[in-house]
mmCIF file of all heavy atoms in Angstrom:
data_model
loop_
_atom_site.group_PDB
_atom_site.id
_atom_site.type_symbol
_atom_site.label_atom_id
_atom_site.label_comp_id
_atom_site.label_asym_id
_atom_site.label_seq_id
_atom_site.Cartn_x
_atom_site.Cartn_y
_atom_site.Cartn_z
ATOM 1 N N TYR A 152 -9.121 -2.137 -4.459
ATOM 2 C CA TYR A 152 -8.295 -3.285 -3.959
ATOM 3 C C TYR A 152 -8.014 -4.224 -5.070
ATOM 4 O O TYR A 152 -6.954 -4.847 -5.119
ATOM 5 C CB TYR A 152 -9.012 -3.934 -2.779
ATOM 6 C CG TYR A 152 -8.821 -3.196 -1.470
ATOM 7 C CD1 TYR A 152 -9.869 -2.360 -0.962
ATOM 8 C CD2 TYR A 152 -7.629 -3.231 -0.784
ATOM 9 C CE1 TYR A 152 -9.663 -1.675 0.215
ATOM 10 C CE2 TYR A 152 -7.446 -2.535 0.368
ATOM 11 C CZ TYR A 152 -8.442 -1.725 0.898
ATOM 12 O OH TYR A 152 -8.280 -1.039 2.060
ATOM 13 N N LYS A 153 -8.999 -4.435 -5.968
ATOM 14 C CA LYS A 153 -8.811 -5.366 -7.103
ATOM 15 C C LYS A 153 -7.703 -4.816 -8.018
ATOM 16 O O LYS A 153 -6.865 -5.589 -8.524
ATOM 17 C CB LYS A 153 -10.122 -5.510 -7.855
ATOM 18 C CG LYS A 153 -10.032 -6.513 -8.958
ATOM 19 C CD LYS A 153 -10.032 -7.921 -8.398
ATOM 20 C CE LYS A 153 -10.161 -8.916 -9.539
ATOM 21 N NZ LYS A 153 -9.810 -10.238 -9.141
ATOM 22 N N ILE A 154 -7.661 -3.504 -8.261
ATOM 23 C CA ILE A 154 -6.609 -2.928 -9.091
ATOM 24 C C ILE A 154 -5.238 -3.179 -8.442
ATOM 25 O O ILE A 154 -4.302 -3.581 -9.102
ATOM 26 C CB ILE A 154 -6.876 -1.377 -9.254
ATOM 27 C CG1 ILE A 154 -8.067 -1.149 -10.185
ATOM 28 C CG2 ILE A 154 -5.619 -0.711 -9.815
ATOM 29 C CD1 ILE A 154 -8.504 0.312 -10.221
ATOM 30 N N ALA A 155 -5.155 -2.989 -7.125
ATOM 31 C CA ALA A 155 -3.914 -3.227 -6.432
ATOM 32 C C ALA A 155 -3.511 -4.695 -6.586
ATOM 33 O O ALA A 155 -2.312 -5.000 -6.897
ATOM 34 C CB ALA A 155 -4.017 -2.883 -4.966
ATOM 35 N N GLU A 156 -4.455 -5.579 -6.475
ATOM 36 C CA GLU A 156 -4.151 -7.023 -6.599
ATOM 37 C C GLU A 156 -3.717 -7.344 -8.017
ATOM 38 O O GLU A 156 -2.719 -8.078 -8.219
ATOM 39 C CB GLU A 156 -5.425 -7.814 -6.230
ATOM 40 C CG GLU A 156 -5.240 -9.297 -6.291
ATOM 41 C CD GLU A 156 -6.523 -10.034 -5.960
ATOM 42 O OE1 GLU A 156 -7.311 -9.544 -5.102
ATOM 43 O OE2 GLU A 156 -6.763 -11.100 -6.597
ATOM 44 N N GLU A 157 -4.427 -6.802 -9.036
ATOM 45 C CA GLU A 157 -4.079 -7.096 -10.416
ATOM 46 C C GLU A 157 -2.713 -6.555 -10.806
ATOM 47 O O GLU A 157 -2.025 -7.152 -11.621
ATOM 48 C CB GLU A 157 -5.156 -6.474 -11.359
ATOM 49 C CG GLU A 157 -6.473 -7.222 -11.269
ATOM 50 C CD GLU A 157 -7.623 -6.494 -11.971
ATOM 51 O OE1 GLU A 157 -7.388 -5.343 -12.449
ATOM 52 O OE2 GLU A 157 -8.717 -7.069 -12.061
ATOM 53 N N LEU A 158 -2.306 -5.462 -10.155
ATOM 54 C CA LEU A 158 -1.000 -4.879 -10.456
ATOM 55 C C LEU A 158 0.069 -5.451 -9.546
ATOM 56 O O LEU A 158 1.230 -4.973 -9.577
ATOM 57 C CB LEU A 158 -1.068 -3.332 -10.294
ATOM 58 C CG LEU A 158 -1.962 -2.615 -11.306
ATOM 59 C CD1 LEU A 158 -2.037 -1.142 -10.972
ATOM 60 C CD2 LEU A 158 -1.439 -2.839 -12.731
ATOM 61 N N ASN A 159 -0.310 -6.430 -8.719
ATOM 62 C CA ASN A 159 0.627 -7.064 -7.823
ATOM 63 C C ASN A 159 1.294 -6.043 -6.886
ATOM 64 O O ASN A 159 2.496 -6.124 -6.577
ATOM 65 C CB ASN A 159 1.715 -7.827 -8.598
ATOM 66 C CG ASN A 159 2.381 -8.867 -7.727
ATOM 67 O OD1 ASN A 159 1.801 -9.397 -6.787
ATOM 68 N ND2 ASN A 159 3.620 -9.203 -8.082
ATOM 69 N N ILE A 160 0.463 -5.118 -6.418
ATOM 70 C CA ILE A 160 0.917 -4.120 -5.404
ATOM 71 C C ILE A 160 0.689 -4.694 -4.063
ATOM 72 O O ILE A 160 -0.422 -5.075 -3.680
ATOM 73 C CB ILE A 160 0.167 -2.795 -5.612
ATOM 74 C CG1 ILE A 160 0.436 -2.203 -6.971
ATOM 75 C CG2 ILE A 160 0.536 -1.826 -4.502
ATOM 76 C CD1 ILE A 160 -0.457 -1.027 -7.316
ATOM 77 N N ARG A 161 1.709 -4.741 -3.246
ATOM 78 C CA ARG A 161 1.592 -5.179 -1.887
ATOM 79 C C ARG A 161 0.990 -4.037 -1.051
ATOM 80 O O ARG A 161 1.509 -2.933 -1.074
ATOM 81 C CB ARG A 161 2.942 -5.609 -1.286
ATOM 82 C CG ARG A 161 2.755 -6.061 0.127
ATOM 83 C CD ARG A 161 3.843 -6.925 0.616
ATOM 84 N NE ARG A 161 3.520 -7.276 1.981
ATOM 85 C CZ ARG A 161 4.355 -7.851 2.743
ATOM 86 N NH1 ARG A 161 5.543 -8.226 2.306
ATOM 87 N NH2 ARG A 161 4.037 -8.119 3.992
ATOM 88 N N LEU A 162 -0.054 -4.412 -0.324
ATOM 89 C CA LEU A 162 -0.761 -3.389 0.510
ATOM 90 C C LEU A 162 -0.740 -3.834 1.943
ATOM 91 O O LEU A 162 -1.060 -4.981 2.245
ATOM 92 C CB LEU A 162 -2.202 -3.247 0.008
ATOM 93 C CG LEU A 162 -2.940 -2.113 0.634
ATOM 94 C CD1 LEU A 162 -3.024 -0.978 -0.344
ATOM 95 C CD2 LEU A 162 -4.313 -2.602 1.051
ATOM 96 N N ASP A 163 -0.320 -2.932 2.839
ATOM 97 C CA ASP A 163 -0.264 -3.247 4.245
ATOM 98 C C ASP A 163 -0.835 -2.075 5.065
ATOM 99 O O ASP A 163 -0.885 -0.911 4.596
ATOM 100 C CB ASP A 163 1.175 -3.462 4.715
ATOM 101 C CG ASP A 163 1.684 -4.863 4.310
ATOM 102 O OD1 ASP A 163 0.964 -5.843 4.549
ATOM 103 O OD2 ASP A 163 2.783 -4.921 3.758
ATOM 104 N N PHE A 164 -1.248 -2.344 6.275
ATOM 105 C CA PHE A 164 -1.684 -1.372 7.237
ATOM 106 C C PHE A 164 -0.715 -1.346 8.386
ATOM 107 O O PHE A 164 -0.491 -2.371 9.021
ATOM 108 C CB PHE A 164 -3.083 -1.701 7.762
ATOM 109 C CG PHE A 164 -4.172 -1.582 6.734
ATOM 110 C CD1 PHE A 164 -4.437 -2.595 5.832
ATOM 111 C CD2 PHE A 164 -4.906 -0.415 6.655
ATOM 112 C CE1 PHE A 164 -5.445 -2.466 4.868
ATOM 113 C CE2 PHE A 164 -5.918 -0.286 5.700
ATOM 114 C CZ PHE A 164 -6.181 -1.275 4.852
ATOM 115 N N PHE A 165 -0.103 -0.169 8.670
ATOM 116 C CA PHE A 165 0.727 -0.069 9.805
ATOM 117 C C PHE A 165 0.942 1.414 10.115
ATOM 118 O O PHE A 165 0.721 2.265 9.261
ATOM 119 C CB PHE A 165 2.038 -0.821 9.727
ATOM 120 C CG PHE A 165 2.886 -0.488 8.499
ATOM 121 C CD1 PHE A 165 3.737 0.613 8.473
ATOM 122 C CD2 PHE A 165 2.881 -1.295 7.358
ATOM 123 C CE1 PHE A 165 4.541 0.906 7.379
ATOM 124 C CE2 PHE A 165 3.640 -1.040 6.253
ATOM 125 C CZ PHE A 165 4.465 0.075 6.278
ATOM 126 N N PRO A 166 1.354 1.766 11.351
ATOM 127 C CA PRO A 166 1.535 3.181 11.725
ATOM 128 C C PRO A 166 2.532 3.879 10.826
ATOM 129 O O PRO A 166 3.616 3.370 10.575
ATOM 130 C CB PRO A 166 2.006 3.117 13.141
ATOM 131 C CG PRO A 166 1.567 1.755 13.640
ATOM 132 C CD PRO A 166 1.596 0.858 12.470
ATOM 133 N N LEU A 167 2.134 5.055 10.399
ATOM 134 C CA LEU A 167 3.033 5.953 9.633
ATOM 135 C C LEU A 167 3.062 7.297 10.362
ATOM 136 O O LEU A 167 2.078 8.078 10.227
ATOM 137 C CB LEU A 167 2.499 6.149 8.215
ATOM 138 C CG LEU A 167 2.455 4.877 7.365
ATOM 139 C CD1 LEU A 167 1.601 5.125 6.128
ATOM 140 C CD2 LEU A 167 3.819 4.438 6.978
ATOM 141 N N PRO A 168 4.104 7.562 11.119
ATOM 142 C CA PRO A 168 4.096 8.763 11.986
ATOM 143 C C PRO A 168 3.916 10.084 11.220
ATOM 144 O O PRO A 168 3.390 11.036 11.766
ATOM 145 C CB PRO A 168 5.456 8.742 12.679
ATOM 146 C CG PRO A 168 6.039 7.412 12.385
ATOM 147 C CD PRO A 168 5.283 6.806 11.244
ATOM 148 N N LEU A 169 4.310 10.147 9.995
ATOM 149 C CA LEU A 169 4.301 11.438 9.280
ATOM 150 C C LEU A 169 3.263 11.508 8.165
ATOM 151 O O LEU A 169 3.050 12.564 7.567
ATOM 152 C CB LEU A 169 5.658 11.737 8.646
ATOM 153 C CG LEU A 169 6.858 11.771 9.646
ATOM 154 C CD1 LEU A 169 8.156 11.955 8.893
ATOM 155 C CD2 LEU A 169 6.619 12.870 10.686
ATOM 156 N N ASN A 170 2.588 10.402 7.842
ATOM 157 C CA ASN A 170 1.650 10.355 6.733
ATOM 158 C C ASN A 170 0.436 9.501 7.065
ATOM 159 O O ASN A 170 0.492 8.636 7.920
ATOM 160 C CB ASN A 170 2.295 9.744 5.487
ATOM 161 C CG ASN A 170 3.492 10.519 5.020
ATOM 162 O OD1 ASN A 170 3.378 11.695 4.721
ATOM 163 N ND2 ASN A 170 4.656 9.890 5.004
ATOM 164 N N LYS A 171 -0.643 9.719 6.293
ATOM 165 C CA LYS A 171 -1.802 8.851 6.402
ATOM 166 C C LYS A 171 -1.549 7.583 5.565
ATOM 167 O O LYS A 171 -2.060 6.523 5.888
ATOM 168 C CB LYS A 171 -3.058 9.562 5.800
ATOM 169 C CG LYS A 171 -3.552 10.683 6.668
ATOM 170 C CD LYS A 171 -4.749 11.319 6.030
ATOM 171 C CE LYS A 171 -4.399 12.743 5.887
ATOM 172 N NZ LYS A 171 -5.151 13.573 5.106
ATOM 173 N N SER A 172 -0.838 7.797 4.475
ATOM 174 C CA SER A 172 -0.576 6.680 3.556
ATOM 175 C C SER A 172 0.654 7.033 2.754
ATOM 176 O O SER A 172 1.093 8.171 2.680
ATOM 177 C CB SER A 172 -1.791 6.494 2.641
ATOM 178 O OG SER A 172 -2.108 7.675 1.900
ATOM 179 N N VAL A 173 1.193 5.966 2.101
ATOM 180 C CA VAL A 173 2.392 6.153 1.294
ATOM 181 C C VAL A 173 2.487 5.060 0.236
ATOM 182 O O VAL A 173 2.011 3.919 0.514
ATOM 183 C CB VAL A 173 3.684 6.163 2.196
ATOM 184 C CG1 VAL A 173 3.907 4.820 2.868
ATOM 185 C CG2 VAL A 173 4.872 6.594 1.434
ATOM 186 N N ALA A 174 3.010 5.418 -0.898
ATOM 187 C CA ALA A 174 3.280 4.449 -1.964
ATOM 188 C C ALA A 174 4.746 4.565 -2.302
ATOM 189 O O ALA A 174 5.308 5.661 -2.355
ATOM 190 C CB ALA A 174 2.417 4.668 -3.190
ATOM 191 N N VAL A 175 5.383 3.416 -2.514
ATOM 192 C CA VAL A 175 6.792 3.399 -2.892
ATOM 193 C C VAL A 175 7.024 2.432 -4.025
ATOM 194 O O VAL A 175 6.291 1.472 -4.155
ATOM 195 C CB VAL A 175 7.754 3.082 -1.710
ATOM 196 C CG1 VAL A 175 7.693 4.153 -0.626
ATOM 197 C CG2 VAL A 175 7.453 1.712 -1.136
ATOM 198 N N SER A 176 8.023 2.696 -4.807
ATOM 199 C CA SER A 176 8.455 1.851 -5.848
ATOM 200 C C SER A 176 9.878 1.317 -5.465
ATOM 201 O O SER A 176 10.762 2.116 -5.164
ATOM 202 C CB SER A 176 8.539 2.608 -7.186
ATOM 203 O OG SER A 176 9.082 1.798 -8.170
ATOM 204 N N LEU A 177 9.989 -0.004 -5.442
ATOM 205 C CA LEU A 177 11.245 -0.588 -4.969
ATOM 206 C C LEU A 177 11.485 -1.874 -5.812
ATOM 207 O O LEU A 177 10.676 -2.773 -5.780
ATOM 208 C CB LEU A 177 11.182 -0.888 -3.488
ATOM 209 C CG LEU A 177 12.418 -1.442 -2.810
ATOM 210 C CD1 LEU A 177 13.546 -0.426 -2.836
ATOM 211 C CD2 LEU A 177 12.113 -1.802 -1.366
#
């Protein structure tokens, strides 16, 4: 979680019907 914070990666929890998790670049 600290790595995500340091890299300014926004992290959220919400239903993903097709995946357990996902990362995107936008």
